[in-house]
């Protein structure tokens, strides 16, 4: 099966040899494997999963340049917005040489190459909008993109790991991690709103770091039976969830809803569950039949997957299946972390066994803050997708979509769907409701 459950067919190119692949987290159960009293407990460590103490899931100090040999990739990738606007991106890609990817060395070079190739791919596919898509990604783009993706364990499409986690640099290396000191390495059409969207999403990841660092404290504390230590760690997670919500509010300041909905959103969309590309996309020189991959989605961030598994949030079958599929769009070490948190001793049972007191309060505070975050995400989707979609429909019915330039360009096929392919509002509300049901006694207190 392929990344998205697509039936495998004949591969025209040999897979990357194991010796060329990046080091990954072990595929066997990690430090949080199902516990056995016969085995000694090993302290849970995030370092085994390529999670930074300072940056969390964000790639620390991403590389911003590739070796000179790959200059054709970087020149085109950095010019995607301008080339899309002039409708010349596809012609530039057709003239691009077929470059060998095996000269790329190290994780950071591979991540930058994946970012460049994925941005070019999104521009190439969507240059002419939803009615001007292509069926084939040309060999000179498809083959190296596939090879780099295989080496990283990522799918050949723009993911959250590309556009957010590996797509930043500081203007002043010694300066703060904030909107004024951050800039993108490569961007999609959308101008300042595109920068704002990716940077605010990055700051949500930054805000989560103290909560991520508290996860091992919770797991180790549950194993040791340390109620006080677990309670203190849960308070750190609750505070981090609050900070994530506050960071998400910056979307209103830095992103124009009309630009996001009408211009940017299509370049985050994939070719699975998308009416504009029902047959998927052929990666020329890789596979004869079309393949399907979902577009970028907030569900590709490892953050809430980790917190859900830790707190014991159980999602219903359909939304749970979508979330599980989104894990295949994460770096392998990060999705291994999620699996190992899920296999750790149950925090929820630990709290139940010690009902009442500060531990239960701290647990409920975490669930409450997670619920607040998910409710706020629903509000964001309402302002940036639902409302603009209604406005775009009204403009089309009046025959005057050009009155609002950005909304006039909005794709009709995405009105009821997220860029990852889900029915967005029903999905988010179902996930929110399951979060609320996680509380052990009655509704979560909103604090």
């Amino acid at each position: 099966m392929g990344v998205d459950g697509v039936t495998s067919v004949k591969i025209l190119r040999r897979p990357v040899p194991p010796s060329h692949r990046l080091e990954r987290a072990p595929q066997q159960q990690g430090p949080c494997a199902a516990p056995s009293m016969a085995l000694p407990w090993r302290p849970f460590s995030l370092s085994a999963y390529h999670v930074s103490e300072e940056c969390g899931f964000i790639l620390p100090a991403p590389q911003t340049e590739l070796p000179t040999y790959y200059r054709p990739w970087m020149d085109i990738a950095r010019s995607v917005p301008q080339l899309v606007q002039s409708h010349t991106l596809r012609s530039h890609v057709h003239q691009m040489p077929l470059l060998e990817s095996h000269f790329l060395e190290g994780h950071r070079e591979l991540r930058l190459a994946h970012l460049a190739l994925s941005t070019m791919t999104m521009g190439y596919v969507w240059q002419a909008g939803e009615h001007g898509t292509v069926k084939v990604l040309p060999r000179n783009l498809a083959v190296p993109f596939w090879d780099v993706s295989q080496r990283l364990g990522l799918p050949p499409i723009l993911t959250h790991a590309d556009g957010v986690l590996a797509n930043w640099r500081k203007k002043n290396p010694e300066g703060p991690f904030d909107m004024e000191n951050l800039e993108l390495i490569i961007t999609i059409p959308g101008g300042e709103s595109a920068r704002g969207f990716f940077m605010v999403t990055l700051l949500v990841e930054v805000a989560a770091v103290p909560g991520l660092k508290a996860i091992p404290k919770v797991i180790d504390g549950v194993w040791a039976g340390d109620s006080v230590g677990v309670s203190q760690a849960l308070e750190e997670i609750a505070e981090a969830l609050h900070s994530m919500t506050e960071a998400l509010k910056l979307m209103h300041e830095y992103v124009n809803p009309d630009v996001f909905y009408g211009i940017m959103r299509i370049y985050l969309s994939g070719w699975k569950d998308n009416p504009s590309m029902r047959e998927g996309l052929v990666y020329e020189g890789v596979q004869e039949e079309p393949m399907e991959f979902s577009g970028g989605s907030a569900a590709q961030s490892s953050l809430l997957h980790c917190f859900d598994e830790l707190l014991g949030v159980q999602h219903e079958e359909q939304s749970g299946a979508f979330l599980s599929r989104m894990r295949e769009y994460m770096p392998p070490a990060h999705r291994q972390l999620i699996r190992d948190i899920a296999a750790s001793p149950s925090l929820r049972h630990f709290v139940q066994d010690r009902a009442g007191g500060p531990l239960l309060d701290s647990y409920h505070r975490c669930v409450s803050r997670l619920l607040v975050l998910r409710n706020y995400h629903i509000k964001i989707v309402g302002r940036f997708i639902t409302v603009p979609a209604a406005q775009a429909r009204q403009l089309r019915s009046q025959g005057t979509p050009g009155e609002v330039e950005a909304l006039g360009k909005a794709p009709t096929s995405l009105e009821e769907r997220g860029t990852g392919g889900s029915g967005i509002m029903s999905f988010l509300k179902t996930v929110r409701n399951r979060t609320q049901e996680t509380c052990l006694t009655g509704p979560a207190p909103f604090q």
Side-chain angles (χ1 to χ4, degrees):
M1 301 294 286
V3 170
D4 275 293
V6 182
T7 303
S8 299
V9 293
K10 184 174 70 174
I11 301 296
L12 302 183
R13 288 180 58 81
R14 295 174 62 188
V16 178
S19 61
H20 290 177
R21 297 179 186 271
L22 292 181
E23 179 183 355
R24 300 181 185 177
Q27 292 305 303
Q28 69 270 20
Q29 293 297 334
C32 287
S36 167
M37 294 306 293
L39 296 176
W41 175 250
R42 289 183 295 143
F44 196 99
S45 172
L46 295 179
S47 62
Y49 305 96
H50 300 170
V51 178
S52 162
E53 285 283 319
E54 296 76 26
C55 299
F57 292 116
I58 299 168
L59 180 65
Q63 193 149 326
T64 60
E65 294 290 346
L66 290 177
T68 304
Y69 175 75
Y70 298 104
R71 184 172 178 179
W73 292 356
M74 295 302 293
D75 285 349
I76 295 176
R78 285 200 170 106
S79 302
V80 163
Q82 296 86 353
L83 295 176
V84 165
Q85 186 174 19
S86 63
H87 296 278
T88 59
L89 176 59
R90 289 176 182 170
S91 63
H92 276 75
V93 168
H94 294 157
Q95 298 167 25
M96 186 176 72
L98 173 57
L99 303 179
E100 295 290 339
S101 64
H102 63 261
F103 297 116
L104 293 164
E105 297 181 352
H107 186 72
R108 285 177 173 81
E109 276 194 7
L110 286 167
R111 292 287 290 273
L112 178 57
H114 200 273
L115 170 62
L117 293 166
S118 61
T119 305
M120 276 192 279
T121 296
M122 306 313 271
Y124 185 91
V125 169
W126 300 112
Q127 173 183 287
E130 64 179 333
H131 301 300
T133 57
V134 296
K135 294 185 177 181
V136 178
L137 193 68
R139 179 186 303 267
N140 58 343
L141 178 51
V143 168
F145 193 16
W146 177 265
D147 289 346
V148 170
S149 298
Q150 289 291 293
R151 291 174 68 181
L152 284 171
L154 289 171
I157 192 169
L158 182 69
T159 69
H160 178 85
D162 302 306
V164 178
L165 302 183
N167 190 22
W168 65 277
R169 60 184 166 196
K170 288 184 177 181
K171 299 174 185 177
N172 175 7
E174 305 303 320
F177 213 120
D178 60 22
M179 289 296 293
E180 287 67 34
N181 195 40
L182 290 170
E183 58 186 359
L184 296 173
I185 299 171
I186 293 172
T187 190
I188 60 173
E192 283 301 306
S193 285
R195 174 189 175 272
F197 173 76
F198 286 120
M199 291 295 93
V200 170
T201 307
L202 185 73
L203 291 180
V204 173
E205 294 272 347
V206 173
V209 171
L212 287 177
K213 291 166 64 176
I215 288 176
K217 300 177 188 177
V218 171
I219 294 172
D220 291 344
V222 169
W223 184 268
D226 180 6
S227 298
V228 174
V230 171
S231 180
Q232 291 172 345
L234 288 175
E235 291 295 338
E236 295 174 26
I237 293 173
E239 187 60 31
L241 288 165
H242 174 71
S243 297
M244 290 167 66
T245 303
E246 292 302 303
L248 187 58
K249 292 178 181 180
L250 294 173
M251 283 289 181
H252 299 294
E253 182 178 350
Y254 290 97
V255 185
N256 183 314
D258 292 351
V259 173
F260 175 80
Y261 183 79
I263 296 176
M264 294 168 50
R265 205 162 167 248
I266 194 170
Y267 297 101
L268 301 172
S269 304
W271 24 100
K272 180 177 175 61
D273 300 325
N274 189 332
S276 295
M277 295 185 68
R278 296 184 185 278
E279 297 179 357
L281 180 68
V282 172
Y283 288 71
E284 186 180 33
V286 175
Q287 186 165 293
E288 294 175 342
E289 284 76 20
M291 291 186 278
E292 297 179 309
F293 296 102
S294 298
S297 168
Q300 292 173 8
S301 169
S302 301
L303 293 173
L304 296 189
H305 291 255
C306 287
F307 294 135
D308 278 350
E309 295 292 0
L310 185 73
L311 296 171
V313 179
Q314 299 293 318
H315 296 290
E316 62 94 27
E317 184 175 356
Q318 186 173 357
S319 60
F322 175 77
L323 288 169
S324 294
R325 179 156 58 84
M326 289 298 98
R327 294 182 184 182
E328 298 303 316
Y329 293 74
M330 302 171 187
H334 296 173
R335 57 180 181 254
Q336 183 66 42
L337 170 61
I338 298 166
R339 287 193 290 265
D340 288 349
I341 292 173
S344 67
S346 171
L347 166 65
R348 197 164 188 272
H349 292 164
F350 181 78
V351 175
Q352 282 179 314
D353 290 343
R354 293 156 178 80
L359 177 61
L360 181 61
D361 291 343
S362 298
Y363 178 82
H364 275 170
R365 196 156 12 254
C366 278
V367 175
S368 170
R369 295 281 174 83
L370 181 57
L371 191 58
V372 169
L373 176 58
R374 285 189 157 135
N375 272 318
Y376 198 81
H377 188 199
I378 291 172
K379 291 180 181 179
I380 290 285
V381 169
R383 184 176 182 220
F384 286 85
I385 296 177
T386 307
V387 172
Q391 293 172 338
R393 284 194 297 270
Q394 183 178 11
L395 289 170
R396 285 196 300 273
S397 69
Q398 296 171 350
T400 56
E403 286 185 8
V404 182
E405 183 179 356
L407 287 181
K409 300 176 182 178
T412 59
S413 61
L414 294 175
E415 285 182 352
E416 303 299 329
R417 293 182 178 273
T419 47
S422 64
I424 190 163
M425 270 301 186
S426 60
F427 166 76
L428 291 176
K429 289 179 179 179
T430 299
V431 169
R432 184 268 316 274
N433 293 343
R434 283 303 178 106
T435 303
Q436 187 164 10
E437 292 168 6
T438 303
C439 287
L440 292 171
T441 54
F446 283 84
Q447 297 181 32

